[in-house]
Amino acid sequence: MLFTGPTMTAEGNLSKAIDEVTQTDLATNYTHMGMVEKEGQQIWVIHAAPEKGVCREPLNQFLESRKVADVYRLNEAHQGYIPEALENAHQLLGLPYDSTYIMGGKAHYCSGLLYTLYEAHQVFELEPMTFKNPATGEFHPGWVKHYEALDLEIPEGLPGCNPNGLAASEHLQWMGQISY
């Protein structure tokens, strides 16, 4: 799996809001993630992005706007689930991006996609989501604006996940970093 930080793309403002409300005790500030697939000599990344939905793209294209990614691998006890997860991922290609960040629909956001791919094997856990700035206890202005535009109430406390939370899973091990 690849984990990346805030970008300077159209995702940038939301990336900043994600980063500011989800940092963990680890020194991570991940705002996006995807699953790596090797096919012959080609390396692909399956992920969910706002403008693309659930997609599969070459590694270099994935890294183009992100520049750097941390590489994680499922620990040995869970690596047997990867073929099934990849098969499931291919079935989800083309689905829309979930800009509501509410689990359980036909659309997916990046970490929600990875959670879903491994859900049957309970690799990752859902946690109550927060959209509040931990320093102030107030809703982050970026999230207020985002949910006002969607005409939805902020889903504070609903079960969900984020890249920082998934990266902290005891079932993953950090392998290193790659750059574009």
Side-chain angles (χ1 to χ4, degrees):
M1 289 175 212
L2 298 179
F3 290 79
T4 64
T7 68
M8 296 314 206
T9 65
E11 304 166 24
N13 288 341
L14 224 44
S15 287
K16 188 172 190 258
I18 292 167
D19 185 40
E20 290 176 4
V21 301
T22 67
Q23 285 190 15
T24 64
D25 290 341
L26 302 175
T28 62
N29 63 339
Y30 301 129
T31 60
H32 192 64
M33 63 182 298
M35 181 175 192
V36 175
E37 176 182 25
K38 186 173 183 203
E39 182 179 65
Q41 296 301 311
Q42 182 70 44
I43 298 175
W44 299 89
V45 180
I46 299 171
H47 65 114
E51 291 137 2
K52 300 175 182 177
V54 179
C55 62
R56 179 180 184 248
E57 61 187 358
L59 175 63
N60 63 343
Q61 188 176 334
F62 177 83
L63 289 174
E64 206 168 71
S65 65
R66 294 170 177 86
K67 304 300 181 207
V68 116
D70 282 352
V71 180
Y72 285 77
R73 169 180 264 166
L74 285 172
N75 62 29
E76 196 172 318
H78 293 83
Q79 286 181 15
Y81 306 139
I82 295 171
E84 179 184 336
L86 283 169
E87 185 178 315
N88 292 339
H90 280 264
Q91 293 173 12
L92 301 177
L93 291 174
L95 290 178
Y97 186 78
D98 180 7
S99 59
T100 69
Y101 302 97
I102 299 172
M103 298 291 294
K106 296 261 184 215
H108 295 276
Y109 58 97
C110 68
S111 56
L113 173 65
L114 272 288
Y115 171 85
T116 299
L117 295 177
Y118 290 101
E119 184 175 15
H121 303 289
Q122 301 175 338
V123 172
F124 301 113
E125 296 179 22
L126 296 179
E127 301 286 338
M129 291 190 295
T130 187
F131 298 86
K132 293 182 177 180
N133 181 325
T136 66
E138 300 293 322
F139 285 117
H140 187 283
W143 288 117
V144 171
K145 183 178 177 181
H146 177 76
Y147 282 102
E148 282 176 354
L150 294 174
D151 197 27
L152 290 174
E153 192 174 313
I154 296 175
E156 181 72 16
L158 289 182
C161 55
N162 62 71
N164 284 316
L166 270 56
S169 170
E170 64 186 21
H171 303 304
L172 292 182
Q173 64 184 85
W174 185 78
M175 301 302 292
Q177 196 171 71
I178 58 173
S179 59
Y180 181 71

